[in-house]
DNA sequence: ACCAAAATTGGTAGCGCTGCCAAAAAAATC
DNA sequence: GATTTTTTTGGCAGCGCTACCAATTTTGGT
């Protein structure tokens, strides 16, 4: 039993050393299981740790030893489930290896990203994880000067700073277009959210249009909403688009959230899917596969991206671009 | 212009001091804007900082000054959007005040929570934020001994360690039952996910049943699925429940994810909602309000919870339980 | 011009830990 | 039993910064 009242002064390693009747170095070695020590010493140290309720101070440990075992995530959003998924994949691996995840959210603003990267670097993280390749000059300069590993996530269409893990958004856009064309759709529209900020969605759209053009098919119309992607936004956007272009036979959405909104609009307006209108999303969210008609979409390797990113960093893998690919889900909406 | 090649050795404060021709203390004061210094000194320091690309080392700063300005979140899941929402609310406030969020995920397992809390305390955070009141004895002991602030989130039905911010889940369950009873439903069922682990969902269910019982209405049947809540899970569960109890006129779901799944089952099976079957969720997710019929549910103060939790911690507010309440959304499914 | 008060500045002792080294103890060898 | 080899151990100098204090410069008042 340890004492239960709140301790004024936190227990330090040297107090443990004294209580155990050994030197500080011995305590340090035992606790990190590093270097050599006798079984007896080990026992006395662990006993003292238990008795005093000692919790090592990693701030001090880090300062003394260099490696922080902190991995910083600077991500655009927590609302878009994509990023929590990546965090989840990375978190599991990091934790197993005794790394800690630190994060902050940019709201898709490059200037905020720059400020947050600066704040993160102050913790001397082992690695910084960012979304995509579009960063300010300041961000690039800081990251390069920092000497810490950098992983750019969920995109491989561009020049990586160091490591990149993800898939080709442009290719995903192309694959989506090819699928719709193969199915015979020709009067195609697009519904998207703010593309200046979500550059990965922009790249998909580029790939999509490129393939349409190459096939001699013109994108009939597009509806691009300001602000973040959301189901409500997608629903309103499709309604708007159809008002302008009622003859469309297929719509490509910037992602599944938007597409689900579109699907709900069709359900509400009794527009039969895909007979009258086909819908195509992006991401392959679980919810899109639980709707009455599963969404036709592209499943992206979000958790795997996080996982691999963490592994590369932990193993200090040399600079590298990893393409995890994607998978087209032939649902029932296109 | 600074040099662009990777710096072998990171720049330290004393190098800045030398380059600026001032003492270390002056650099420190200027950078923290704390204590007094002349305009000329300020200028020279900032100039040197810029020239050398100096990034302060907060590890060292923290060790020297005590306060870590780190806030640790130990949350059950990132998949359940509830927690990213809380993080989002807290993140904004923390960032403004130059705190950093650190997090790890317990998967709803108390033992993992204990291990993760221990790991977090090693960073000497200003506060630890946890979900709910159910913790192991070890977790409680560590937290109490740590001397750092503790916030328990999204629950107020229990005894708080220090601070608690959220709403009464039991009360939410009661309100849900009252609503269904008031609307005249009497053949009521329940669809839930693993309640041993998600104790807050369990408390809602308790409050729900209590109110039914008090009104002399018996819960007809329930379907409880192992594993996490998800739309797919909810869909399968409702199907199963209706097979056993086809005469139900209303179903209460453990949360909106499950309820959406139920709604999709009804759409797919042409069960008219709410005429033939009423559905009631919990959380008030945006997506539930964008479906053809908006979900009848309870909106919970997730972002506000995160926000207030962060504010209380930053202002070092005395121990306190804050009830942020909830709001019943009369959608179209009940 | 002189002295007191205020503003500015630099030196230095830690913060709690790890890494290195040399000393001490234990084990192995002849 | 003496000597070498191996294992275990403790002391102590930092890691980069902040807090404190004393020294210096500037300012203001007379």
């Amino acid at each position: 039993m340890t004492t239960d009242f709140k301790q004024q002064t936190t227990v330090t390693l040297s107090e443990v050393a004294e209580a155990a009747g050994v030197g500080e170095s011995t305590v340090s070695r035992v606790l990190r299981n590093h270097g050599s020590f006798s079984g007896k010493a080990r026992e006395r140290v662990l006993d003292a740790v238990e008795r005093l309720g000692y919790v090592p101070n990693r701030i001090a440990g880090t300062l003394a030893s260099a490696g922080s075992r902190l991995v910083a995530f600077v991500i655009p959003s927590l609302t878009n489930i994509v990023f929590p998924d990546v965090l989840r994949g990375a978190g599991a691996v990091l934790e197993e290896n005794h790394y800690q995840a630190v994060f902050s959210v940019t709201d898709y603003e490059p200037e905020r990203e720059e400020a947050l990267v600066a704040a993160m670097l102050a913790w001397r993280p082992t690695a910084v994880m960012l979304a995509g390749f579009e960063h300010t000059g300041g961000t690039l300069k800081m990251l390069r000067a920092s000497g810490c590993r950098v992983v750019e996530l969920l995109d491989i269409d561009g020049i990586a700073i160091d490591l990149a893990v993800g898939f080709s958004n442009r290719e995903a856009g192309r694959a989506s277009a090819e699928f719709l064309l193969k199915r015979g759709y020709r009067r195609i529209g697009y519904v998207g959210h703010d593309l200046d900020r979500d550059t990965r969605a922009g790249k998909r759209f580029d790939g999509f249009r490129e393939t349409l053009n190459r096939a001699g098919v013109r994108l009939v119309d597009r509806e691009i909403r300001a602000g973040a992607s959301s189901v409500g936004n997608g629903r309103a956007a499709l309604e708007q688009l159809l008002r302008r272009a009622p003859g469309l036979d297929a719509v490509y959405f910037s992602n599944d959230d938007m597409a689900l909104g579109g699907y709900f609009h069709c359900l509400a307006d009794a527009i039969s899917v895909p007979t009258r209108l086909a819908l195509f999303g992006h991401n392959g969210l679980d919810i899109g596969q639980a709707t009455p008609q599963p969404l036709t979409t592209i499943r992206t390797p979000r958790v795997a991206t996080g996982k691999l990113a963490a592994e590369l960093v932990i193993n200090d893998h040399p600079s590298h671009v990893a393409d995890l690919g994607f998978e087209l889900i032939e649902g029932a909406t296109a």
Side-chain angles (χ1 to χ4, degrees), chain A residues 19 34 92 110 130 137 140 145 181 187 211 261 279 308:
Chain A
H34 176 276
L130 305 162
L140 293 175
L181 290 173
R187 299 191 308 281
T211 298
L279 308 175
L308 181 58

Side-chain angles (χ1 to χ4, degrees), chain A residues 171-211:
Chain A
E171 211 48 71
R174 288 198 194 106
S176 307
E178 274 160 22
F179 180 86
L180 289 177
L181 290 173
K182 201 176 62 196
R183 289 268 164 125
Y185 300 105
R186 289 297 179 273
R187 299 191 308 281
I188 301 176
Y190 176 76
V191 164
H193 60 283
D194 190 341
L195 297 182
D196 289 331
R197 310 218 292 179
D198 188 343
T199 57
R200 285 167 298 290
K203 290 175 183 178
R204 294 195 290 274
F205 187 36
D206 287 345
F208 187 82
R209 276 188 297 183
E210 180 198 308
T211 298

Side-chain angles (χ1 to χ4, degrees), chain A residues 54-70 100 102 122-124:
Chain A
Y54 171 68
V55 177
N57 184 333
R58 280 185 77 168
I59 302 274
T62 297
L63 182 60
S65 68
S68 77
R69 295 205 159 236
L70 228 36
Q100 275 296 339
V102 195
W123 290 103
R124 298 290 186 271

Side-chain angles (χ1 to χ4, degrees), chain A residues 18 49 59 81 136 147 178 202 211 218 267 304 327:
Chain A
E18 190 173 16
V49 164
I59 302 274
I81 190 69
T136 65
E178 274 160 22
T211 298
R218 198 175 55 82
L267 286 180
E327 180 196 355

Side-chain angles (χ1 to χ4, degrees), chain A residues 223-236:
Chain A
E223 170 71 16
I224 294 180
R225 314 287 285 199
S229 77
S230 73
V231 181
N233 213 345
R235 182 170 171 173

Side-chain angles (χ1 to χ4, degrees), chain A residues 69-78 82-95 99-106 113 116-117 119-121 125-131 149 151-153 302-303 305-311 313:
Chain A
R69 295 205 159 236
L70 228 36
V71 172
F73 290 84
V74 180
I75 59 178
S77 155
L78 281 169
V82 165
F83 300 105
D85 276 349
V86 174
L87 286 179
R88 188 153 55 92
V93 177
L94 292 179
E95 199 179 291
Y99 282 76
Q100 275 296 339
V102 195
F103 77 95
S104 47
V105 175
T106 68
E113 180 179 79
L116 292 173
V117 165
M120 285 300 188
L121 288 177
T126 303
V128 178
M129 310 250 191
L130 305 162
R149 302 309 301 265
V151 190
E152 291 164 287
L153 303 166
R302 303 182 295 280
V303 176
T305 293
K307 185 165 179 290
L308 181 58
E311 286 165 354
V313 159

Side-chain angles (χ1 to χ4, degrees), chain A residues 270-293:
Chain A
I271 299 169
S272 68
V273 174
T275 334
R276 159 88 172 70
L277 185 69
L279 308 175
F280 198 107
H282 176 87
N283 264 336
L285 302 188
D286 286 343
I287 186 173
Q289 302 309 305
T291 43
Q293 300 169 75

